[in-house]
Amino acid sequence: MKDEALLEVEFQARIDADEKIEPKDWMPERYRRQLIRMMSQHAHSEIVGMLPEGNWITRAPTLRRKMALLAKVQDEAGHGLYLYSATETLGVDRYQLIRDLLEGRAKYSNIFNYPTLTWADVGVIGWFVDGAAIVNQTMLAKTSYGPYSRAMIRICKEEAFHKRQGYEICVTLARGTPEQRRMLQDAINRWWWPTLMMFGPPDDQSPNSPELLRWKVKRKTNDELRQHFVNITVPQVLALGMTIPDPDLRYDEKTGNWLIGPIDWDEFWRVIRGHGPCNRERLQARRKAHEEGAWVREAVQAYARKRQQQAASTAAEVSHG
Amino acid sequence: MAEMENGMRLWEVFVQPRTGKPHEHVGSVRATHAEMALQHARDVYARRGPVVSIWVVPTEAIYATKPGDEGPFFDPADNKPYRHPLFYKVPHGVKNI
Ligand SMILES: [Fe+2]
Ligand SMILES: [Fe+2]
Ligand SMILES: [Fe+2]
């Protein structure tokens, strides 16, 4: 039996050589723990993320918009399932993860604790929130853990449509009546800062980052990802004739970066600790969905028992006949 | 274990994108029996084409090599260079052989 220290050296050498780690390979216990934490939070985020937009499916303004929104929300359910599946490869049980979410022990992305007040919010979520998710997930598609990486590749292929349908909604509103333009600007103002917080605390306040970078679980820092998102999104906002709610925002000729003003991290921590506008409502909605689905789970089990009994009695008949 | 509580076993899912292509592992689903696993696999892993065929296999039915087997288990392949065409010498200038 090799000792832990040697195994860790070999493990790091594999990571450094850009090899993928697969479920049955030896891995440090902390690597496994960190992945379970990240991947289950990611899975929960996809599931809870259906709620703010699901809220608008019945009120979508046209059939085209309604079909697109339904398909998008269904994709998010699928993303949650890809990720629960990938997390199970680390030796945890998805039903336990779901219980952790329903009983308030698990985290999910802060962004879904904000309300969707108008139809413009649906457009801005697809554009900003899915746009930010794409930046993060494109990086995670290269993560060192094989099953996570493969799930991310599938997800990234589907996200492009989420972002474009959102931007299309915003383009339509931007070309609309003064009231529609006001509605769009209001949604941009409310979603801009929470979206920038999605990338997590700044690098100097992100204690997990160095380890995750060393193991190539993450391949870019929070601030790098955030800057990239800002750089691609600012011109898209300006192209609609809209503004960004940041008086300090300026273009830096030297680096080619759009530099933002200070982020209100107190708000971020407040929402994480459960005091965002919708934390309670989101969990309640998940619990309600789970309880209302109880009869389906019971029916599935009754059916499974019946099949077993039928199989057993057929076998008995054959042996007696 | 929860899978025992509710009878929802783990199934590995393999999809074939086109006829002639191999089935490829894409992930897993939970289900009490094979038909249910197939339906879930369709809903989760085949929302967008192209998919022409899906296999589901109970996870515990897969018997696999262990990572530690790499050396000894696959060794025989390494010491048989005579299985490769370049092991055999052909006079200079002879073509298409
Ligand atoms: Fe997402
Ligand atoms: Fe998603
Ligand atoms: Fe999405």
Side-chain angles (χ1 to χ4, degrees):
Chain A
M1 202 53 218
K2 291 183 211 169
D3 66 25
E4 288 273 306
L6 182 58
L7 286 166
E8 280 223 46
V9 171
E10 287 175 358
F11 177 82
Q12 189 62 49
R14 292 188 61 196
I15 299 273
D16 294 342
D18 268 337
E19 276 182 46
K20 294 282 184 232
I21 306 301
E22 294 297 337
K24 297 220 160 64
D25 293 348
W26 185 89
M27 60 186 82
E29 189 51 27
R30 262 193 74 75
Y31 178 83
R32 182 190 306 274
R33 289 278 132 218
Q34 288 279 27
L35 278 170
I36 291 172
R37 181 185 61 84
M38 272 181 71
M39 292 165 70
S40 62
Q41 282 179 14
H42 196 161
H44 299 324
S45 300
E46 302 286 351
I47 298 297
V48 177
M50 289 190 280
L51 296 170
E53 289 172 293
N55 184 29
W56 280 91
I57 290 173
T58 56
R59 292 174 286 165
T62 66
L63 185 57
R64 185 174 186 276
R65 294 281 187 240
K66 188 173 187 158
M67 289 191 305
L69 189 55
L70 264 173
K72 176 190 189 293
V73 171
Q74 192 192 14
D75 273 351
E76 305 301 2
H79 297 174
L81 295 175
Y82 302 162
L83 284 159
Y84 285 128
S85 161
T87 316
E88 277 192 301
T89 64
L90 292 160
V92 289
D93 184 301
R94 78 173 70 183
Y95 296 108
Q96 182 58 48
L97 300 175
I98 291 167
R99 273 196 294 275
D100 289 344
L101 174 67
L102 296 178
E103 290 164 19
R105 284 187 299 272
K107 283 193 189 127
Y108 55 85
S109 180
N110 247 1
I111 195 79
F112 303 119
N113 287 320
Y114 291 84
T116 38
L117 302 180
T118 71
W119 173 250
D121 290 37
V122 174
V124 173
I125 286 179
W127 171 24
F128 281 5
V129 177
D130 289 74
I134 291 170
V135 167
N136 191 39
Q137 291 171 164
T138 305
M139 178 243 337
L140 288 173
K142 299 197 192 85
T143 190
S144 59
Y145 187 55
Y148 197 16
S149 158
R150 292 190 286 274
M152 283 300 119
I153 292 168
R154 290 189 79 80
I155 288 179
C156 284
K157 281 186 196 152
E158 301 184 346
E159 289 289 355
F161 129 68
H162 298 181
K163 182 173 171 181
R164 279 178 75 104
Q165 65 88 35
Y167 197 62
E168 193 190 81
I169 291 172
C170 296
V171 171
T172 307
L173 292 173
R175 290 181 185 151
T177 63
E179 196 180 345
Q180 283 174 316
R181 294 177 57 80
R182 264 199 305 280
M183 189 166 83
L184 176 60
Q185 184 63 61
D186 169 63
I188 290 172
N189 293 350
R190 283 181 291 106
W191 288 97
W192 176 253
W193 293 108
T195 303
L196 297 189
M197 293 177 201
M198 282 174 70
F199 298 98
D203 294 346
D204 54 7
Q205 289 163 48
S206 177
N208 285 324
S209 281
E211 188 176 59
L212 295 175
L213 287 165
R214 182 162 52 83
W215 283 330
K216 295 187 183 169
V217 171
K218 294 178 64 169
R219 320 214 34 154
K220 283 186 178 139
T221 71
N222 297 352
D223 287 333
E224 284 172 330
L225 294 169
R226 187 166 17 244
Q227 185 64 61
H228 177 61
F229 173 80
V230 169
N231 289 349
I232 59 178
T233 310
V234 169
Q236 295 166 353
V237 175
L238 302 179
L240 296 184
M242 296 285 133
T243 60
I244 290 174
D246 179 355
D248 298 325
L249 184 76
R250 65 181 177 84
Y251 184 72
D252 182 47
E253 292 281 351
K254 262 212 300 280
T255 58
N257 287 328
W258 284 91
L259 302 179
I260 55 169
I263 293 178
D264 179 5
W265 291 108
D266 289 343
E267 173 180 327
F268 175 77
W269 294 112
R270 205 162 50 238
V271 179
I272 278 205
R273 296 202 180 98
H275 308 296
C278 300
N279 299 53
R280 282 167 54 87
E281 190 183 325
R282 298 295 182 235
L283 267 195
Q284 268 165 11
R286 285 314 310 154
R287 288 192 194 118
K288 182 162 174 276
H290 191 75
E291 282 156 20
E292 287 176 353
W295 70 271
V296 179
R297 293 189 294 276
E298 281 159 24
V300 162
Q301 283 160 48
Y303 180 66
R305 276 194 301 276
K306 193 169 115 189
R307 281 170 53 97
Q308 264 171 6
Q309 280 159 9
Q310 276 170 351
S313 65
T314 314
E317 262 168 48
V318 169
S319 67
H320 284 257
Chain B
M1 267 193 90
E3 60 187 310
M4 292 303 157
E5 279 165 39
N6 59 18
M8 298 285 270
R9 298 160 75 193
L10 198 54
W11 302 74
E12 299 301 321
V13 180
F14 300 80
V15 305
Q16 186 187 32
R18 272 194 303 281
T19 49
K21 293 274 173 191
H23 284 70
E24 195 182 358
H25 181 252
V26 288
S28 64
V29 292
R30 290 285 196 146
T32 56
H33 59 282
E35 291 95 298
M36 183 183 174
L38 269 183
Q39 284 177 359
H40 285 182
R42 178 204 55 198
D43 293 345
V44 176
Y45 295 103
R47 279 196 307 289
R48 291 180 178 72
V51 174
V52 294
S53 162
I54 303 178
W55 293 347
V56 289
V57 182
T59 302
E60 74 266 14
I62 294 179
Y63 195 70
T65 54
K66 290 186 255 333
D69 289 344
E70 265 166 35
F73 194 77
F74 297 109
D75 237 9
D78 292 338
N79 55 22
K80 294 187 177 66
Y82 47 86
R83 283 181 170 156
H84 298 279
L86 292 181
F87 182 77
Y88 303 93
K89 297 185 179 44
V90 165
H92 195 72
V94 176
K95 290 203 170 76
N96 297 319
I97 185 121

